[in-house]
Amino acid sequence: SRSHAHHFSSTRRPTMRPFRPADSEGQSSDPYDDSGAPEVGHVLPKESDASDAISKALDKMKPAMSKMTFGAFVGYCSGVAAKKVGKAIAAAIGMGFIALQGAVYTGYVEVDWKKVQNDAVTKIDTDADGKITIDDAKTYWQKLKKILTNKVPDAGGFSLGFLYGVTYS
């Protein structure tokens, strides 16, 4: 009697053919058809500089790009980094909370969440009004901006670049 394993081991695997740039350009997908093969060194049709998509996009952005300062550039990069680091920190805090709350729920630990909240607000609250408000966020932003723009030449656009990096990255 034949086993099923023997039956499957004798099946033939399909052979893979190598990728050719012509396959992705709407030309013949037959690996043995060289009639539509591109010239050596020219995979895509050449575009003139005037019709190049990147050149057109850069021309459209010329007014904004001419006003871009070093400060705006490093602000944007800092905003992108802050967003990524912020997400990682939020994920770590969230995972820690889930683990701790799971232990609270199952009775392994007791946590006075009201005390945790009060202690956190006291540490973060910059104007001592007992609440975390926009004014507190502005105070932290001013401190961070002072650190990140210290001795940076042409730092005028830093805030706008930072906001753009945080928002659109």
Side-chain angles (χ1 to χ4, degrees), residues 74-97:
V74 295
Y76 173 79
C77 294
S78 298
V80 170
K83 183 175 183 177
K84 292 196 181 294
V85 169
K87 283 183 174 185
I89 290 170
I93 291 170
M95 289 171 45
F97 172 77

Side-chain angles (χ1 to χ4, degrees), residues 114-135:
K114 196 68 170 160
K115 181 171 175 25
V116 171
Q117 178 184 358
N118 290 337
D119 290 350
V121 168
T122 302
K123 284 260 189 217
I124 297 170
D125 184 18
T126 60
D127 55 10
D129 64 355
K131 296 180 269 182
I132 300 172
T133 62
I134 293 297
D135 291 333

Side-chain angles (χ1 to χ4, degrees), residues 17-39:
R17 62 182 181 85
F19 173 79
R20 292 181 358 169
D23 293 345
S24 65
E25 297 172 15
Q27 298 176 13
S28 173
S29 61
D30 181 357
Y32 304 105
D33 177 16
D34 288 330
S35 63
E39 296 176 27

Side-chain angles (χ1 to χ4, degrees), residues 51-153:
S51 69
D52 180 358
I54 299 295
S55 295
K56 284 182 180 180
L58 289 172
D59 284 339
K60 285 181 183 179
M61 294 187 325
K62 196 180 288 186
M65 295 293 281
S66 66
K67 300 210 184 320
M68 180 177 253
T69 63
F70 178 73
F73 176 72
V74 295
Y76 173 79
C77 294
S78 298
V80 170
K83 183 175 183 177
K84 292 196 181 294
V85 169
K87 283 183 174 185
I89 290 170
I93 291 170
M95 289 171 45
F97 172 77
I98 291 168
L100 183 59
Q101 190 60 20
V104 168
Y105 179 78
T106 55
Y108 285 103
V109 296
E110 288 288 324
V111 176
D112 182 356
W113 285 116
K114 196 68 170 160
K115 181 171 175 25
V116 171
Q117 178 184 358
N118 290 337
D119 290 350
V121 168
T122 302
K123 284 260 189 217
I124 297 170
D125 184 18
T126 60
D127 55 10
D129 64 355
K131 296 180 269 182
I132 300 172
T133 62
I134 293 297
D135 291 333
D136 299 320
K138 286 179 181 178
T139 300
Y140 281 110
W141 166 245
Q142 292 304 322
K143 288 179 181 181
L144 179 65
K145 183 179 165 188
K146 185 176 181 178
I147 293 167
L148 296 179
T149 59
N150 184 38
K151 298 183 182 178
V152 172

